[in-house]
Amino acid sequence: MGVKSQNRWKIRNWIFIIFLWSHPVTSQTNQNVLKLMNDIFTNYSSKVRPMISQERPLPLDVSFYLSSINEVSEVKEKLVTTGYIMLEWIDELLRWTPEDYNYTEMIFIPQNDIWKPDLVLKNGFKKFEELGGSFYYLVIHHDGSVNWWPFHVFESRCAMDISRFPFDTQTCDIKFITWSHFVEQIEITKSSNGIQYYEYEENGVWDIVDTSSEIKKEQGESEVKFTLTLQRKPLYYVMNIILPVIFLGYLNILVFVIPVDAGEKMSFSVTVFLSFAVFLTIISTLLPTSSDNTPIISMYLIIQLIYGVIALIISAFQLRLHHRNETEEIPMFWIKVVQLQRKLRCKKTRKVVVSDSNLKENEVQKIAETCDDNREVTYVWNHVSTSIDFFAFWSFLITNIIITVTMFTVSALS
């Protein structure tokens, strides 16, 4: 071996020795950890707030990691979420020097063996429950920092504004508070993490459009509030409720197309009216009982029910007029109504004649004779019922289109 090779080998050995000296290999044993725990827990009590100076508040960092939205109940006004809370604080009574225990830098302790904050869900739907459980472990670092990750299914109250159902957006809060301690003992600090996602699974009905967190200190209490802004996916309700209701609304108008002689006017109108009543019952089961927020779709159904009642009244009145004695004199009011209806129809017919050059000569002559203003016409009660159908049909159709477009446009875009 040459001189250069020997020198190179010596240099490599020295570099390796220096590296080992600056980066010692650690292998803690159970005796190291046991000695550490005996030393730090000798005079430790989980009943004492872990501050050397009890006059200072303990900073508590709280973050929320969301896994899924299990349920948003409009009827019960309840939000059910799954996730875990990440809590971080400094336990000044649990500190050690890692070099004294074979470089042991962290240990895992059951949550009930050390002091932990009494953080509870403030707006819980059922009752206050302790976070975590006896099988949860906390991580304690050598500098006294403690990490706790209690996983939980949170059931919280959420006031629902269902006025724009099913195009609504709901804002729900999940509030946590230190129940027994005042802000002078435990001060919740605003976490830089806020609301994060942990293996989040999309909800089939709701999308999360925004999240935020806020620290509140009121009446000596320290509180953290996590806010979820949820937007409903309306496709299911559009296909199964809104479109059938709109189609029924236009079926309601067809009662004025059915001739009085057919004898089906009343039964058709009653059937459509009962269909609206069924849909109103279905929607009432989906929404909470509230007098403050009336859904637009419920108002639309009420309007359609009113239309159905008016259609029933008009149909019954028409049947009464249609079966009157033909020799009975027709009042001047109804004669003017029939004349106005005849003028409107003839005006439309003349426009068709002018625009359609394919009409035969005998058809044009027949239309001209029918719409001749000088032709003497004998009015009967059948003409009156036909005129009522004409005006009722167009009045219902125009107003129904205006109401439908206005109400659902406002609901979807506001």
Side-chain angles (χ1 to χ4, degrees):
M1 183 180 295
V3 177
K4 292 184 177 179
S5 299
Q6 291 180 355
N7 292 335
R8 189 180 299 114
W9 181 80
K10 291 179 180 180
I11 292 173
R12 288 178 178 175
N13 285 343
W14 278 110
I15 292 175
F16 182 70
I17 292 172
I18 293 173
F19 177 80
L20 290 179
W21 180 77
S22 60
H23 295 81
V25 177
T26 61
S27 67
Q28 295 88 12
T29 65
N30 62 325
Q31 295 299 323
N32 300 138
V33 179
L34 183 60
K35 183 177 184 303
L36 169 61
M37 296 179 66
N38 287 333
D39 290 345
I40 63 176
F41 284 105
T42 298
N43 296 316
Y44 185 88
S45 174
S46 60
K47 301 177 182 179
V48 179
R49 193 165 54 93
M51 301 288 292
I52 296 176
S53 175
Q54 294 291 309
E55 296 179 354
R56 293 186 292 110
L58 184 145
L60 177 63
D61 186 272
V62 182
S63 303
F64 182 53
Y65 285 77
L66 181 66
S67 295
S68 65
I69 297 175
N70 301 342
E71 180 186 359
V72 180
S73 176
E74 296 88 347
V75 177
K76 297 179 180 179
E77 296 192 326
K78 178 176 69 172
L79 171 68
V80 182
T81 55
T82 298
Y84 70 89
I85 301 295
M86 186 177 75
L87 296 96
E88 298 181 1
W89 68 93
I90 300 295
D91 192 319
E92 296 181 355
L93 307 180
L94 295 177
R95 288 176 173 174
W96 69 90
T97 303
E99 288 79 4
D100 296 340
Y101 303 94
N102 200 11
Y103 295 94
T104 303
E105 296 185 350
M106 68 175 66
I107 56 175
F108 295 85
I109 299 296
Q111 72 170 41
N112 294 330
D113 289 355
I114 71 169
W115 181 94
K116 62 183 184 301
D118 57 338
L119 195 73
V120 295
L121 182 63
K122 182 180 180 181
N123 60 335
F125 191 78
K126 292 182 178 180
K127 60 181 180 179
F128 283 165
E129 293 180 345
E130 181 184 11
L131 294 178
S134 58
F135 59 92
Y136 278 85
Y137 278 72
L138 296 89
V139 180
I140 306 175
H141 299 269
H142 67 90
D143 60 352
S145 60
V146 182
N147 300 111
W148 185 27
W149 304 283
F151 196 89
H152 206 73
V153 177
F154 302 100
E155 296 185 1
S156 56
R157 298 188 305 273
C158 180
M160 301 287 179
D161 181 7
I162 40 83
S163 57
R164 293 178 53 223
F165 174 86
F167 305 99
D168 52 329
T169 300
Q170 304 295 339
T171 301
C172 296
D173 297 329
I174 304 175
K175 303 177 182 178
F176 293 94
I177 188 173
T178 52
W179 185 247
S180 301
H181 293 85
F182 296 104
V183 69
E184 290 80 10
Q185 286 84 41
I186 299 178
E187 182 181 6
I188 298 178
T189 59
K190 186 173 179 61
S191 173
S192 58
N193 293 328
I195 296 182
Q196 302 292 325
Y197 298 102
Y198 172 71
E199 297 182 357
Y200 180 73
E201 297 179 3
E202 291 285 343
N203 187 273
V205 181
W206 297 91
D207 280 328
I208 299 178
V209 296
D210 189 29
T211 62
S212 62
S213 60
E214 179 185 359
I215 302 297
K216 297 178 66 177
K217 299 176 183 178
E218 296 180 353
Q219 300 177 352
E221 297 178 339
S222 188
E223 173 187 321
V224 58
K225 180 176 69 174
F226 299 103
T227 302
L228 297 174
T229 303
L230 309 174
Q231 187 173 37
R232 192 191 303 270
K233 299 176 182 178
L235 182 60
Y236 172 82
Y237 300 97
V238 169
M239 299 298 294
N240 292 277
I241 294 179
I242 292 182
L243 288 181
V245 166
I246 292 176
F247 293 152
L248 276 176
Y250 290 100
L251 282 179
N252 203 20
I253 302 172
L254 294 182
V255 68
F256 302 113
V257 178
I258 301 175
V260 179
D261 295 333
E264 297 293 334
K265 275 178 131 0
M266 292 296 293
S267 60
F268 180 83
S269 185
V270 169
T271 302
V272 176
F273 178 83
L274 292 177
S275 300
F276 279 116
V278 170
F279 272 99
L280 186 61
T281 304
I282 293 173
I283 291 176
S284 64
T285 59
L286 296 174
L287 303 176
T289 304
S290 174
S291 299
D292 298 329
N293 302 315
T294 303
I296 293 179
I297 188 172
S298 296
M299 297 172 60
Y300 181 77
L301 279 171
I302 294 298
I303 292 173
Q304 294 297 337
L305 285 172
I306 294 173
Y307 271 10
V309 171
I310 296 174
L312 276 170
I313 295 173
I314 293 175
S315 297
F317 184 66
Q318 279 183 282
L319 289 171
R320 182 74 177 178
L321 293 179
H322 181 75
H323 290 92
R324 278 192 174 185
N325 193 344
E326 294 184 359
T327 60
E328 187 176 347
E329 183 180 358
I330 300 176
M332 183 54 63
F333 172 78
W334 292 116
I335 293 177
K336 291 183 178 180
V337 170
V338 175
Q339 290 176 345
L340 178 60
Q341 183 259 345
R342 181 170 172 267
K343 288 181 181 179
L344 293 175
R345 294 190 65 179
C346 287
K347 184 178 180 181
K348 181 180 179 181
T349 304
R350 290 191 182 100
K351 289 183 179 180
V352 173
V353 172
V354 172
S355 59
D356 192 355
S357 59
N358 296 323
L359 289 175
K360 298 180 180 179
E361 184 178 350
N362 58 342
E363 293 176 347
V364 175
Q365 182 66 27
K366 185 177 180 180
I367 293 172
E369 291 176 358
T370 304
C371 296
D372 186 7
D373 295 334
N374 297 321
R375 185 172 68 91
E376 185 176 350
V377 180
T378 302
Y379 297 105
V380 293
W381 286 108
N382 187 31
H383 294 159
V384 175
S385 62
T386 303
S387 299
I388 293 174
D389 275 336
F390 176 82
F391 287 109
F393 174 83
W394 287 106
S395 299
F396 273 55
L397 179 63
I398 294 172
T399 55
N400 201 7
I401 290 174
I402 294 173
I403 291 173
T404 301
V405 173
T406 302
M407 295 189 74
F408 286 108
T409 300
V410 171
S411 178
L413 299 180
S414 62

